[in-house]
Amino acid sequence: MEHVITLKGFFEEARAGRLTGIRCGECGELAIPPKEFCPACAKRAWAPVPLSGEGVVASYTVIRVPPRGRAGEAPYAVAVVRLTEGVSLLGRVVDIPLESLVIGLPVKFRPIIDGAQTMVGFGPS
Ligand SMILES: [Zn+2]
C-alpha cells in the first residue's frame, strides 16, 4: 500500500491546522515537508506522522526588504523551528514582536492562509 503524503497534501493538512511529517519505513528518518526520497537512506518508503507543531526557535532572520508583492508586510521574521519530534522546519513568525524573538523561544505551528495559498507560520506557544 502506498501511504505517501505529497507536498500538496502537506499544505492541505497545514491549512486545516495539522502539521504532518513523514517517517521513512526503511531507516526511521523523519522529514518535513515531504520529500521524494529519504535523505538518509535514499529509499522511498514514507509513512505520514502527525506532529505536535510545538518547538523552539533554532535560528531566525528578520526580513526588512521583502519579496515583490509583500512590501507592506516587512519587517517580519522567518525562523527555523526545531520541533519537539526532532525535525526542523522553516516558517514565518506571527504575533511575536521582533524584539522578543530569541533563540530557544517556544513557538507553536499555525497556518498562514492567504487566499488559496497556505504558508507555514509559527506563533506564541
Ligand atoms: Zn530512510
Side-chain angles (χ1 to χ4, degrees):
M1 270 213 299
E2 192 87 324
H3 284 296
V4 176
I5 179 165
T6 60
L7 202 55
K8 182 167 176 281
F10 169 79
F11 281 105
E12 281 167 4
E13 285 290 295
R15 193 176 181 89
R18 291 185 294 269
L19 200 55
T20 311
I22 48 176
R23 190 180 292 285
C24 178
E26 193 71 23
C27 74
E29 177 88 355
L30 188 62
I32 185 172
K35 298 171 172 57
E36 181 80 14
F37 297 102
C38 176
C41 74
K43 292 289 186 334
R44 189 166 186 261
W46 300 114
V49 185
L51 302 174
S52 65
E54 286 171 32
V56 294
V57 172
S59 68
Y60 65 90
T61 307
V62 175
I63 309 293
R64 298 185 190 281
V65 181
R68 188 179 291 272
R70 301 206 173 271
E73 299 172 29
Y76 60 87
V78 171
V80 174
V81 172
R82 180 109 182 135
L83 299 173
T84 52
E85 288 84 359
V87 275
S88 298
L89 181 63
L90 186 72
R92 174 134 160 208
V93 177
V94 286
D95 291 343
I96 297 174
L98 294 180
E99 61 274 17
S100 18
L101 202 51
V102 287
I103 305 293
L105 184 75
V107 289
K108 191 163 176 33
F109 165 73
R110 161 187 321 183
I112 301 172
I113 296 168
D114 181 6
Q117 201 189 2
T118 306
M119 290 175 287
V120 172
F122 288 97
S125 70

